[in-house]
Amino acid sequence: GGIGLIGLFGLRVARRSAIHQDIKRREAENLVAETSSRYQAIIQSSNDAIVTIDESGNIVGWNRAANVLFGYKTKEILHQPVTVLMPERFRTDHLAGISRITMGEKPKVIGKSVELVGLRKNQKEFPMELSMAKWATTQGLFFSGTIRDITSIKAHKKQLEHIAHYDTLTKLPNRVLLADRLHQAMAQSKRHDLPLAVAYLDLDGFKPINDAYGHNYGDELLVNIARRMKKVMRDGDTLARIGGDEFIAVLVELKDPKDCDIVLDRLLMAASDPVTVNDVIMRVSASIGVSLYPQDHSDADLLIRHADQAMYTAKQAGKNRYHKFDVNHDAELSVKHESQIRIRKALEDQE
């Protein structure tokens, strides 16, 4: 009888344990379902598009923001290959990447943001930022991609780059871009053994016009002259505005140093032709100083300085002309100046 009681007690304990385990299992299932429901709610309320694909590259998850971003309805896109969301030229590489990851290769894109090109339902391309997460379940391997349209960010970045490199008034390159272009031109000149010219251009008579008619007329005059000068330049040459009424032109790939003369004459004509603004006829001219590389074997800054010096010589000679910097004459002047300093010091020291 005692054994029977013990057995009965054991059976009751076992039943209680089974019931307890069943309750625990149901609680766990409810928690998973609740968590999944909350997770889906978070995904659906996200402002970023979230797309989930399986290891074959087919779309198995899609939120409302993805509908807006790509233009597809959920029922249209589910179980479609993810490659429909990208231009055809990227599809093969993308599928190959998914295949390598499923084969065990460590992915470079997981946990990182990468910039890609997306394709909307209307077949319009757009730049997008993608960050991916990889996760596994009993049903297989899955990838979730958080996608953001960065069209406005790219446009803003491009605008900032343009402001940093171009003159806001004339839309010509500024000092920053000029420096970059000149260094590149000098490297090309050395590589191909072809001379280049740096022309420093200053408008004659601009200040009186600006003072008499105001900055609006002065600005319009500068814009018109800049447009004309740009028109007479050759492909590959650079015209930059470095401030006020001063411009610098870089003339590249000159078979002979004298080849720049034709362009310089055109620049003088472009600057001296009258400009009419609101029935007011304005006329200026230009003085241009020129330094030639590698004849003048200086660095970029010194080439510009020498062209500036030559420009003042052109102004003193009567304006509306160009003058080329003479390296030999400059060397003679330097020696003469140095000798004068040494003689003066020797006289002071009674030597």
Side-chain angles (χ1 to χ4, degrees):
I3 295 170
L5 286 172
I6 292 170
L8 183 61
F9 180 73
L11 185 61
R12 286 178 179 175
V13 170
R15 281 178 180 172
R16 284 178 186 172
S17 177
I19 291 167
H20 183 70
Q21 286 177 358
D22 189 50
I23 290 169
K24 284 286 185 185
R25 181 177 58 77
R26 286 181 184 178
E27 284 177 351
E29 286 175 354
N30 289 337
L31 182 62
V32 168
E34 187 180 344
T35 303
S36 177
S37 178
R38 286 179 181 176
Y39 178 65
Q40 286 301 322
I42 291 168
I43 288 175
Q44 289 302 327
S45 63
S46 173
N47 291 325
D48 294 327
I50 299 175
V51 179
T52 302
I53 62 172
D54 60 20
E55 55 190 316
S56 300
N58 295 320
I59 297 168
V60 293
W62 183 267
N63 70 347
R64 294 189 193 97
N67 289 341
V68 176
L69 181 60
F70 290 100
Y72 290 98
K73 293 177 182 177
T74 306
K75 61 182 180 182
E76 290 180 301
I77 202 69
L78 283 183
H79 310 300
Q80 293 292 323
V82 73
T83 49
V84 301
L85 305 180
M86 63 191 68
E88 197 167 340
R89 60 186 181 277
F90 300 121
R91 293 176 183 179
T92 304
D93 289 343
H94 184 82
L95 287 175
I98 293 174
S99 178
R100 287 196 299 271
I101 293 169
T102 55
M103 293 294 288
E105 184 178 306
K106 189 177 179 181
K108 295 177 182 178
V109 295
I110 301 298
K112 294 180 181 178
S113 291
V114 292
E115 191 177 311
L116 299 172
V117 179
L119 186 69
R120 304 188 204 277
K121 183 181 176 181
N122 62 10
Q123 298 304 298
K124 286 188 178 179
E125 297 182 9
F126 68 97
M128 66 182 191
E129 184 182 77
L130 168 71
S131 55
M132 286 183 68
K134 183 181 77 169
W135 44 282
T137 70
T138 53
Q139 295 176 328
L141 196 62
F142 295 90
F143 305 90
S144 281
T146 302
I147 302 163
R148 185 172 297 173
D149 186 346
I150 55 171
T151 302
S152 58
I153 295 171
K154 295 272 286 184
H156 184 59
K157 186 180 177 184
K158 190 175 180 181
Q159 186 182 16
L160 290 176
E161 285 176 356
H162 192 274
I163 291 168
H165 293 98
Y166 289 87
D167 173 52
T168 52
L169 178 65
T170 62
K171 305 298 185 286
L172 292 175
N174 62 12
R175 284 180 181 271
V176 177
L177 187 53
L178 170 70
D180 184 56
R181 295 264 183 94
L182 181 52
H183 281 103
Q184 286 183 33
M186 290 173 73
Q188 286 282 94
S189 172
K190 195 178 290 185
R191 193 176 299 119
H192 301 298
D193 196 25
L194 289 171
L196 67 82
V198 176
Y200 198 115
L201 186 148
D202 183 90
L203 297 182
D204 309 314
F206 174 75
K207 190 177 183 302
I209 289 174
N210 206 39
D211 292 343
Y213 297 104
H215 292 297
N216 289 340
Y217 280 78
D219 287 351
E220 196 63 36
L221 176 63
L222 286 172
V223 169
N224 275 274
I225 290 175
R227 192 184 298 123
R228 285 180 190 167
M229 291 195 298
K230 181 78 173 70
K231 217 171 192 177
V232 302
M233 303 276 287
R234 304 167 307 156
D235 291 340
D237 292 342
T238 295
L239 178 66
R241 182 186 179 217
I242 59 169
D245 60 344
E246 295 176 315
F247 301 83
I248 288 179
V250 180
L251 312 177
V252 297
E253 295 185 359
L254 305 170
K255 292 178 182 176
D256 186 274
K258 291 181 181 178
D259 290 348
C260 69
D261 295 357
I262 298 169
V263 182
L264 295 172
D265 286 330
R266 288 176 186 166
L267 287 171
L268 288 174
M269 286 179 65
S272 61
D273 280 348
V275 174
T276 304
V277 180
N278 295 334
D279 297 328
V280 176
I281 300 172
M282 297 175 285
R283 187 189 291 271
V284 294
S285 60
S287 296
I288 304 175
V290 185
S291 58
L292 294 162
Y293 179 85
Q295 182 180 322
D296 182 350
H297 200 68
S298 305
D299 61 21
D301 290 338
L302 202 52
L303 277 174
I304 291 173
R305 208 178 308 158
H306 287 168
D308 189 15
Q309 286 176 231
M311 183 270 292
Y312 278 104
T313 304
K315 275 195 184 292
Q316 290 167 357
K319 303 174 182 177
N320 194 26
R321 66 193 66 213
Y322 61 83
H323 179 81
K324 292 178 181 177
F325 182 79
D326 189 330
V327 180
N328 296 326
H329 181 60
D330 184 65
E332 288 172 13
L333 287 176
S334 296
V335 170
K336 184 179 178 182
H337 181 63
E338 190 180 336
S339 297
Q340 287 174 342
I341 292 171
R342 289 174 68 189
I343 290 167
R344 192 177 292 114
K345 189 164 189 318
L347 288 170
E348 288 171 0
D349 295 342
Q350 297 182 344
E351 292 179 353

